[in-house]
Amino acid sequence: MMSLNISAADNNLCLAEDNDCTFVLLTHSSNELVIVNQARAEQALSPFSTFKIANSAIGLETGVINDAGQTLSYDDTAYPPQAWWPSVWKLPKYNLTSAYKFSMVAIYRQLAKDIGDKQMRHYLKTFNYGNQDISSGLDNFWLNGSMKISALEQVKFLQQLHQNQLALSEKTQQELRKVMLAKMTDDYRIYAKTGAGKVDDGSMLGWYVGIVETADESYYFALNFNRPTYQQMKADRIALAMNHLKQAGVID
C-alpha cells in the first residue's frame, strides 16, 4: 500500500492534509493500493447514487430487469415528481441505461422495492457490500440512511464485480457493462458512477467510483469529498478523479 503526500500546490487534486477528501486506486495485477488520506479512505459513508451499481446488478440478476434496454417505470403516487427535480428526471420514459446515466432516483427506489427485502439482503451479503444495513428503509437506505461504505470497500467491491467473483451470470455482467460505460478511447474504457447528497453537517458529499480497463491492466478507483454546496461538488467531482488517474499514469 502506498500513501501519497500530495503538495498543497496541487490544488486540483485531493490533498493529503485535507480531511474532507480521499482518493483510492487499486491495481488489479499487483493488488497495490494507492491511498490519499488513509483515515478518510476507511471512513464508512453513505454511498448515495454509487449504490446504483449494486442495485442495477441485483435487478438484472434477479430478473426484475431483463436487460439494459427494458423500459422502466415507477409509482408516481409513492414518488411524485418534485419541482426541484432536474429536467432529466422528467423524461417520458427510461430504461436502465438512461436511468443510471441520469441517476434517476425514483426509478431506483422503485427497483429496490421490486427486488424486495429478502433478495436485497441476500445479495448485499453475497457482495459483502459496506455494512449491509438496509434497516432505514428498502427504498432509501443508500440515501444518507443506514447503508454505509468506505472508499476502500468501494474499490474492493468493484474489483470483485469486474473479475466475475460475485457469482453473477454472464448476461448480468454484459448488461451491467453497457450501463456503466462512461468513457471510451483508443487506450482505455472507464465504467463509473457518480453519487452525491447532503449529509448531517449540511455539506454535500460527492462520490466518483469506477473501473478503468486498458489493454493489459484493470484499475479500480474511488473518490469522495465534501463541499459546501451541490454546485461546488458537482464542478469538482469527475475532474478530481480524472486528475488523480492521470497523475498515477492510468490515463493520459
Side-chain angles (χ1 to χ4, degrees):
M1 180 179 68
M2 182 184 302
S3 183
L4 292 186
N5 185 18
I6 297 170
S7 73
D10 294 316
N11 58 9
N12 60 345
L13 296 165
C14 174
L15 306 180
E17 64 270 22
D18 184 354
N19 293 325
D20 288 337
C21 68
T22 186
F23 179 80
V24 178
L25 179 67
L26 174 61
T27 302
H28 177 68
S29 63
S30 64
N31 223 34
E32 180 186 22
L33 275 168
V34 174
I35 300 173
V36 180
N37 292 340
Q38 177 83 29
R40 172 83 182 211
E42 295 174 350
Q43 186 178 356
L45 303 168
S46 174
F48 287 106
S49 284
T50 65
F51 182 70
K52 288 182 171 68
I53 298 172
N55 206 0
S56 298
I58 297 167
L60 288 162
E61 189 66 14
T62 56
V64 173
I65 305 171
N66 293 321
D67 54 52
Q70 178 185 330
T71 299
L72 303 176
S73 61
Y74 65 95
D75 180 356
D76 60 7
T77 61
Y79 312 116
Q82 304 293 311
W84 58 267
W85 279 14
S87 59
V88 291
W89 287 11
K90 301 175 184 178
L91 301 181
K93 66 177 182 178
Y94 294 89
N95 56 33
L96 189 62
T97 302
S98 60
Y100 181 97
K101 177 181 178 180
F102 298 128
S103 222
M104 207 304 182
V105 171
I107 291 286
Y108 276 89
R109 294 185 74 182
Q110 184 68 56
L111 174 58
K113 288 177 72 174
D114 292 344
I115 288 167
D117 184 274
K118 183 178 180 180
Q119 292 199 109
M120 185 66 78
R121 290 180 187 275
H122 166 75
Y123 280 98
L124 292 180
K125 183 178 181 179
T126 300
F127 293 174
N128 194 28
Y129 189 93
N131 65 0
Q132 304 170 38
D133 185 352
I134 69 171
S135 62
S136 62
L138 181 59
D139 66 346
N140 64 14
F141 59 81
W142 65 93
L143 300 171
N144 202 33
S146 55
M147 171 64 70
K148 306 294 182 186
I149 190 169
S150 70
L152 280 166
E153 289 171 327
Q154 290 265 26
V155 296
K156 290 171 184 176
F157 164 68
L158 291 169
Q159 183 183 41
Q160 289 184 300
L161 177 69
H162 187 246
Q163 297 300 320
N164 305 334
Q165 296 171 355
L166 299 178
L168 297 174
S169 70
E170 182 64 28
K171 180 180 178 183
T172 292
Q173 295 166 37
Q174 290 177 353
E175 295 301 309
L176 196 59
R177 287 171 66 87
K178 295 177 188 176
V179 170
M180 290 182 63
L181 184 62
K183 185 175 182 180
M184 181 169 59
T185 74
D186 291 339
D187 299 316
Y188 61 86
R189 293 186 181 195
I190 298 178
Y191 303 89
K193 187 70 192 78
T194 56
K198 184 176 287 189
V199 291
D200 295 343
D201 67 0
S203 69
M204 294 298 299
L205 171 64
W207 283 96
Y208 195 50
V209 306
I211 301 160
V212 184
E213 285 182 348
T214 66
D216 52 10
E217 188 59 273
S218 296
Y219 304 89
Y220 312 97
F221 68 89
L223 167 82
N224 72 53
F225 66 112
N226 291 80
R227 289 287 185 270
T229 68
Y230 176 77
Q231 289 74 20
Q232 289 172 303
M233 181 280 303
K234 186 178 180 181
D236 291 342
R237 181 171 50 188
I238 296 176
L240 279 171
M242 294 302 100
N243 288 341
H244 277 284
L245 292 173
K246 289 174 184 176
Q247 185 197 55
V250 174
I251 64 174
D252 297 327

